[in-house]
Amino acid sequence: MIGRLNHVAIAVPDLDAAIILYRDTLGADVGAPQDEPDHGVTVVFITLPNTKIELLYPLGDNSPIKGFLDKNPSGGIHHICYEVDDILVARDHLLASGARVLGDGNPKTGAHGKPVLFLHPKDFNGTLVELEQV
Ligand code: CO
């Protein structure tokens, strides 16, 4: 059911330092920061040959990653995103399998303008999983 690894999202406490780390130390193709007010994050997309890395930095007072950074002050992997062909078919299969879908269970528009869902980390070995319909 799941396809390619679309991205790995890493929450960072210092966006400028993380950009320098990926661009200069790791030599990656690092994009410009984009504010995503609907998601409470500033995102930096890093394009690798086979997938993407997304740096997440809190935007606003109610950012969903603020609590994560409080628990992980030096940052850390926040979620991984797998591609699916049909997000509603994927959701229904997961629910029938006993997995929990976060929120109201309906897809939202993700950072790439595509439908996304998040799955409960306790059902996936402690990893927050995002599904994106591509
Ligand atoms: Co994501």
Side-chain angles (χ1 to χ4, degrees):
M1 183 176 72
I2 61 170
R4 285 171 18 110
L5 175 67
N6 185 275
H7 61 269
V8 176
I10 301 175
V12 301
D14 182 333
L15 194 55
D16 291 334
I19 288 169
I20 289 167
L21 187 67
Y22 273 85
R23 186 189 60 207
D24 299 343
T25 307
L26 291 173
D29 176 5
V30 177
Q34 297 177 24
D35 288 344
E36 307 269 354
D38 290 351
H39 297 278
V41 290
T42 299
V43 182
V44 171
F45 296 104
I46 299 170
T47 306
L48 303 182
N50 62 341
T51 190
K52 295 186 287 282
I53 304 293
E54 292 182 9
L55 305 179
L56 301 177
Y57 182 77
L59 176 67
D61 294 332
N62 298 317
S63 174
I65 63 161
K66 195 173 172 310
F68 182 90
L69 283 172
D70 288 343
K71 280 184 231 151
N72 303 276
S74 56
I77 294 177
H78 183 264
H79 65 266
I80 59 176
C81 177
Y82 300 121
E83 297 180 356
V84 294
D85 290 332
D86 185 323
I87 202 158
L88 295 178
V89 168
R91 177 198 62 189
D92 292 346
H93 172 77
L94 285 155
L95 289 173
S97 306
R100 287 168 285 180
V101 175
L102 299 186
D104 65 7
N106 292 310
K108 291 196 169 55
T109 301
H112 308 110
K114 307 251 177 72
V116 301
L117 282 174
F118 285 90
L119 308 177
H120 201 298
K122 288 200 171 135
D123 296 337
F124 294 93
N125 304 108
T127 304
L128 178 59
V129 172
E130 179 180 20
L131 298 180
E132 181 174 300
Q133 180 174 296
V134 293

